[in-house]
Amino acid sequence: MKNQGVLSIAHKGKASDKLQKLPKPPVYLTDEGKSHFKKWGQLLIKHNLLKAQHLAALEILANAMGEFEWSLREIKRKNEKHMGYGYIQTFQSGASQVSAEITLKEKAEKKIMQCLKQFGMDPRSEKELAAEDNSGQLSMLEAFEQKLNSQTS
């Protein structure tokens, strides 16, 4: 089976399906998640990448970004108390395991990367989306590369 184990939460649809205005973030997102929803949504609209079918992926991305940031803050907080406490959880029995915060961070990272693929923000997806949309506009990755190159020149 092709792409086994890859989260597929949106289909590519037609170029005409692209959103011009971002809907309000869902009420079930945290304040942090709503902020990410707006930030990423506006960025995707600006680059003509957000479609109605992508809203579920945007919600997952926004939530995962909030989880990622929270887990990093917790790891840092625990490590400030005692270095290593943010990485390893030790039980009274003496057994230890990777902390819940590390597990959450890793799962959030995976969700973030899978969602970014839905928007063509990895090389393979970038090619696939470019093949479907011949609008003549620069891709987000190409625009970023051009901006980087112009700053270094």
Side-chain angles (χ1 to χ4, degrees):
M1 181 162 84
K2 191 176 179 181
N3 293 332
Q4 187 173 8
V6 174
L7 178 66
S8 181
I9 49 182
H11 65 77
K12 294 182 176 98
K14 297 177 183 174
S16 61
D17 297 340
K18 294 180 180 166
L19 297 179
Q20 301 302 314
K21 184 179 178 199
L22 186 65
K24 288 184 178 182
V27 294
Y28 54 80
L29 287 177
T30 62
D31 289 342
E32 218 170 40
K34 289 175 185 176
S35 174
H36 285 295
F37 183 90
K38 291 174 187 173
K39 180 180 89 173
W40 282 97
Q42 291 302 331
L43 180 68
L44 292 166
I45 286 173
K46 178 181 174 184
H47 292 282
N48 208 23
L49 293 172
L50 187 61
K51 301 176 186 175
Q53 299 91 333
H54 290 149
L55 289 175
L58 179 57
E59 291 171 20
I60 292 168
L61 174 62
N63 186 59
M65 288 295 297
E67 290 174 351
F68 176 76
E69 289 174 352
W70 178 86
S71 63
L72 287 178
R73 283 193 305 272
E74 282 299 299
I75 291 166
K76 180 181 176 187
R77 184 184 66 76
K78 287 182 176 185
N79 282 338
E80 285 172 350
K81 286 183 179 179
H82 188 275
M83 189 51 160
Y85 281 15
Y87 306 121
I88 303 294
Q89 179 178 3
T90 305
F91 299 96
Q92 288 179 346
S93 66
S96 61
Q97 67 181 22
V98 173
S99 72
E101 292 81 9
I102 290 289
T103 302
L104 178 63
K105 181 184 85 63
E106 290 171 349
K107 287 184 177 195
E109 288 169 339
K110 185 176 181 181
K111 284 188 267 184
I112 290 165
M113 295 309 294
Q114 289 171 330
C115 288
L116 292 178
K117 286 179 185 180
Q118 295 293 323
F119 301 113
M121 297 177 77
D122 71 310
R124 182 175 176 190
S125 297
E126 183 75 20
K127 278 185 185 177
E128 290 172 3
L129 287 173
E132 287 186 13
D133 183 14
N134 296 323
S135 64
Q137 293 184 355
L138 289 178
S139 71
M140 204 154 56
L141 184 58
E142 289 169 331
F144 178 71
E145 287 174 346
Q146 281 187 355
K147 185 172 184 170
L148 246 166
N149 291 335
S150 69
Q151 290 176 351
T152 58
S153 300

